[in-house]
């Protein structure tokens, strides 16, 4: 019988925030979620999260996981937090204690720890180059663990110890309860320290990778943890056949899928279950949120794509914005300064420059000229623009919706289209051009003279 207790009631004072610390995102995911997912991977009999500070917010956040909650009314230290979960501790079971502020721990490490422990009380330790802030593991001359001393209680000698307590423990239920009952708060912080459970003998399981056990207490540590997570994730994709130019500036959310031979340039954000097929190029500065991108697509620099579909062979950007509900069927081109919203483009259609297409349904092989605007909004309601196959929309056209344009239509540049157009038609709406000889220069000269007379 294994129970996992996750400590998440602390004030998180050092974050200086209105938000609970464990809900801060590390590499695109709230820290507590990493701990819950790690716990789930161990298939325990129960998972209990100890909440306290902003308990409701934390519990609400975790509502979809089937886990239990304990409430620590006052944050009087880590031992007190475990006490708050006492009812969930089975005398004959094992208890794994984790903290909600350690997003980097790996499943293999915890599994190795659980398998190897022989004593009733055990914890993971690691040697840190900069142990500052962590509890130090004090050992006797025979190497047995004597105690863990917190930074604030440590003397000069103890501060020089670089083996630290990671805050991960595995205990026999009954023994844990017995030792918890003996803990007092005679220390620098007047807190009940969980670390004091090791005083009557404990096994320290020394691990190798100090990054894994980084605890996040402030925003600098949050940033460090995020960078490591992002980098680890990027490297996993690289080993699976994705080229990433700079894993240090590649921000991929957990759960994003990327196909082989896709190339990702620096400063790219792939968020929210985005799916990218094989052989896609994503240039620098792009953010894709909930996007589906088929094979052989190029997304050029500084493009934002939200909740949209990009069919194979298409090219998008630079500096394009695909808002939710955009759908490019196949071999489309969406060029610079083009914004799409709930716009569908059929195979082979193009909007290459400076265009807004909102609430639009566009057929195959349509060319949308530079500066085209669908006027889809009357200040209160939205209307649809429908453009059938093989249409050519000349530059600087306004399509005042609702409006329907038939197949093979030619719309002359500079037109304001307010009426439907039949198949094969031409639509032109401009005032006839009037050329007046010499008039241009005459007006300019007059303007110039006016300016000079003012000097
Ligand atoms: C703790 C350990 C320290 C260890 C370090 C590893 C103690 C006394 N110290 O220090 O030895 O090196 O973790 O990162 O245990 N919490 C509660 N209720 C409380 C206080 C804390 O639930 O009353 C929770 C916090 O939300 C957090 C965890 O316990 O998730 C650890 O608390 P924190 O204040 O971050 O402890 P550290 O000072 O980091
Ligand atoms: Ca901590």
């Amino acid at each position: 019988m294994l129970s996992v207790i996750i400590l998440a009631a602390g004030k998180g004072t050092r974050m200086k925030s209105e938000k609970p610390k464990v809900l801060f995102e590390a590499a695109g995911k709230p820290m507590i979620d990493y701990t819950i997912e790690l716990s789930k991977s161990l298939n325990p009999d129960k998972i209990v999260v100890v909440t306290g500070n902003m308990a409701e917010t934390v519990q609400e956040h975790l509502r979809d996981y089937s886990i239990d909650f304990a409430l620590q009314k006052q944050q009087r230290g880590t031992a007190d937090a475990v006490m708050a979960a006492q009812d969930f501790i089975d005398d004959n079971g094992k208890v794994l204690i984790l903290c909600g502020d350690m997003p980097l721990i790996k499943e293999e490490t915890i599994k190795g720890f659980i398998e190897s422990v022989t004593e009733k009380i055990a914890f993971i330790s690691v040697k840190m180059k900069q142990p500052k802030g962590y509890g130090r593991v004090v050992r006797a001359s025979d190497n047995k663990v004597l105690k863990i001393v917190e930074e604030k209680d440590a003397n000069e000698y103890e501060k020089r110890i670089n083996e630290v307590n990671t805050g991960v423990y595995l205990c026999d239920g009954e023994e844990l309860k017995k030792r918890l009952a003996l803990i007092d708060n005679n220390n620098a912080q007047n807190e009940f320290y969980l670390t004091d459970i090791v005083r009557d003998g404990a096994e320290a399981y020394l691990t190798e990778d100090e990054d894994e056990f980084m605890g996040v207490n402030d925003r600098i540590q949050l940033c460090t943890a995020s960078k490591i997570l992002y980098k680890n994730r990027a490297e996993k994709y690289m080993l699976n056949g994705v080229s990433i130019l700079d894993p240090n500036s590649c921000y991929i959310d957990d759960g994003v899928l990327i196909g082989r031979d896709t190339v990702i340039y620096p400063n790219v954000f792939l968020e929210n279950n985005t799916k990218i097929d094989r052989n896609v190029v994503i240039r620098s500065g792009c953010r894709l949120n909930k996007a589906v991108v088929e094979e052989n697509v190029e997304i050029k620099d500084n493009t934002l794509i939200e909740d949209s579909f990009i069919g194979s062979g298409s090219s998008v950007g630079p500096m394009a914005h695909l808002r939710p509900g955009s759908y490019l069927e196949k071999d489309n081109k969406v060029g610079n300064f083009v914004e799409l919203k709930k716009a569908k483009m059929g195979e082979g259609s193009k909007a290459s420059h400076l265009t807004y297409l909102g609430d639009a349904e566009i057929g195959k092989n349509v060319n949308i000229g530079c500066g085209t605007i669908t006027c889809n909004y009357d200040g209160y309601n939205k209307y649809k623009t429908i453009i059938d196959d093989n249409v050519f929309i000349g530059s600087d056209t306004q399509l005042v919706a609702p409006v329907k344009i038939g197949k093979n239509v030619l719309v002359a540049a500079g037109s304001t289209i307010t009426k439907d157009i039949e198949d094969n038609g031409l639509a032109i709406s401009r005032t006839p051009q009037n050329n007046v000889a010499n008039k241009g220069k005459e007006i300019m000269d007059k303007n110039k003279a006016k300016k000079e007379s003012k000097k």
Side-chain angles (χ1 to χ4, degrees), residues 7 9-10 14 72 75-78 101 135 150 165-166 193 217:
L7 306 186
R14 290 163 277 185
Q72 185 194 19
Q75 281 64 64
R76 301 188 302 167
T78 43
D101 64 352
E150 291 304 293
N165 167 33
T166 61
Y193 290 162
N217 298 318

Side-chain angles (χ1 to χ4, degrees), residues 212-373:
E212 228 186 305
F213 294 100
M214 206 192 135
V216 172
N217 298 318
D218 59 32
R219 293 176 199 244
I220 297 173
Q221 289 169 328
L222 180 67
C223 172
T224 310
S226 283
K227 283 194 167 180
I228 298 169
L229 280 163
Y230 276 131
K231 187 163 187 237
N232 290 349
R233 222 174 269 157
E235 287 175 355
K236 240 190 231 170
Y237 288 103
M238 289 162 93
L239 292 173
N240 281 324
V242 177
S243 286
I244 293 177
L245 270 75
D246 178 12
N248 288 311
S249 73
C250 178
Y251 308 94
I252 307 179
D253 275 5
D254 209 15
V256 166
L257 301 176
I258 312 176
R260 282 196 179 180
D261 295 318
T262 283
V263 182
I264 299 176
Y265 281 75
N267 248 335
V268 165
F269 289 78
L270 303 177
E271 304 172 337
N272 209 354
N273 296 317
T274 285
K275 278 197 196 82
I276 296 170
D277 210 329
R278 53 177 288 282
N279 209 31
V280 169
V281 178
I282 304 179
R283 300 270 172 183
S284 191
C286 293
R287 181 157 75 87
L288 278 66
N289 187 304
K290 219 175 167 186
V292 176
V293 180
E294 290 195 327
E295 58 186 9
N296 306 323
V297 164
E298 180 168 9
I299 318 269
K300 294 181 182 165
D301 318 54
N302 298 311
T303 291
L304 169 59
I305 300 178
E306 304 164 285
D307 198 0
S308 292
F309 178 94
I310 319 291
S312 63
S314 297
S315 155
V316 181
M319 290 158 292
H321 185 186
L322 270 58
R323 290 168 53 202
S326 300
Y327 190 99
L328 306 186
E329 202 166 82
K330 199 182 169 197
D331 297 328
N332 295 101
K333 182 176 177 206
V334 170
N336 41 199
F337 306 108
V338 173
E339 174 181 342
L340 263 57
K341 187 217 71 175
K342 281 192 193 155
K344 178 175 185 261
M345 285 178 101
E347 187 176 337
S349 290
K350 296 186 179 106
S352 300
H353 340 259
L354 293 165
T355 286
Y356 171 63
L357 301 170
D359 302 301
E361 233 173 74
I362 297 163
K364 295 187 202 319
N365 299 316
V366 170
N367 187 82
I368 307 280
C370 174
T372 298
I373 296 170

Side-chain angles (χ1 to χ4, degrees), residues 386-392 404-411 419-427:
I386 297 175
I387 302 174
D388 213 330
D389 298 347
N390 306 315
V391 166
F392 185 95
K404 252 189 203 164
I405 298 173
K407 280 189 191 30
N408 311 315
V409 161
L410 172 62
V411 174
K419 291 183 288 195
D420 291 356
I421 309 165
E422 302 267 287
D423 288 358
N424 311 316
L426 163 75

Side-chain angles (χ1 to χ4, degrees), residues 6-12 14 21-22 50-52 72 74-82 98-102 128 131 133-136 148-151 164-169 189 191-196 213-217:
I6 300 170
L7 306 186
K11 292 196 192 83
R14 290 163 277 185
K21 175 170 82 173
V22 295
V50 181
T51 58
Q72 185 194 19
Q74 277 180 303
Q75 281 64 64
R76 301 188 302 167
T78 43
D80 183 63
V82 177
L98 300 169
C99 296
D101 64 352
M102 300 175 65
M128 288 208 174
Y134 291 88
R136 311 295 207 282
I148 296 169
V149 58
E150 291 304 293
E151 170 91 24
V164 307
N165 167 33
T166 61
V168 177
Y169 312 79
Q189 303 185 82
E191 282 187 5
F192 295 88
Y193 290 162
L194 180 57
T195 46
D196 287 347
F213 294 100
M214 206 192 135
V216 172
N217 298 318

Side-chain angles (χ1 to χ4, degrees), residues 22-240:
V22 295
L23 297 193
F24 272 84
E25 287 187 0
K29 185 155 72 178
M31 287 197 279
I32 186 84
D33 292 34
Y34 288 94
T35 319
I36 304 275
E37 281 164 23
L38 171 71
S39 307
K40 292 241 165 201
S41 76
L42 307 169
N43 290 315
D45 298 283
K46 52 191 157 199
I47 298 174
V48 188
V49 177
V50 181
T51 58
N53 180 54
M54 292 181 259
E56 276 169 32
T57 319
V58 178
Q59 293 191 14
E60 171 63 20
H61 172 77
L62 296 173
R63 152 188 85 178
D64 294 338
Y65 291 104
S66 48
I67 53 176
D68 290 305
F69 295 102
L71 189 67
Q72 185 194 19
K73 293 203 184 79
Q74 277 180 303
Q75 281 64 64
R76 301 188 302 167
T78 43
D80 183 63
V82 177
M83 294 268 245
Q86 274 214 73
D87 293 348
F88 296 93
I89 300 175
D90 189 62
D91 280 349
N92 303 312
K94 285 265 176 199
V95 184
L96 176 73
I97 303 172
L98 300 169
C99 296
D101 64 352
M102 300 175 65
L104 289 154
I105 306 178
K106 292 188 179 126
E107 196 182 313
E108 310 90 85
T109 312
I110 296 295
K111 285 186 172 156
F113 171 54
I114 294 175
E115 275 162 27
S116 92
V117 161
T118 55
E119 288 189 38
K120 286 185 175 173
I121 302 286
F123 65 99
I124 300 183
S125 71
V126 72
K127 289 192 174 155
M128 288 208 174
K129 279 181 219 86
Q130 280 164 348
K132 195 162 184 271
Y134 291 88
R136 311 295 207 282
V137 180
V138 182
R139 292 178 185 261
S141 50
D142 63 358
N143 216 29
K144 279 217 173 86
V145 175
L146 279 181
K147 60 175 180 176
I148 296 169
V149 58
E150 291 304 293
E151 170 91 24
K152 286 186 178 143
D153 300 285
N155 60 34
E156 283 315 307
Y157 163 76
E158 290 163 338
K159 276 184 187 157
R160 269 183 265 133
I161 299 174
N162 68 349
E163 185 186 0
V164 307
N165 167 33
T166 61
V168 177
Y169 312 79
L170 185 70
C171 311
D172 273 12
E174 196 179 5
E175 185 67 21
L176 173 64
K177 281 193 204 163
K178 209 169 84 192
R179 295 199 191 183
L180 281 173
L182 299 173
I183 294 175
D184 60 37
N185 64 351
N186 295 329
N187 53 54
Q189 303 185 82
N190 292 321
E191 282 187 5
F192 295 88
Y193 290 162
L194 180 57
T195 46
D196 287 347
I197 58 170
V198 310
R199 282 173 183 263
D200 293 323
E203 178 180 350
Y205 177 81
L206 183 62
T207 54
E208 297 282 310
D209 180 10
E210 64 170 278
D211 282 351
E212 228 186 305
F213 294 100
M214 206 192 135
V216 172
N217 298 318
D218 59 32
R219 293 176 199 244
I220 297 173
Q221 289 169 328
L222 180 67
C223 172
T224 310
S226 283
K227 283 194 167 180
I228 298 169
L229 280 163
Y230 276 131
K231 187 163 187 237
N232 290 349
R233 222 174 269 157
E235 287 175 355
K236 240 190 231 170
Y237 288 103
M238 289 162 93
L239 292 173
N240 281 324

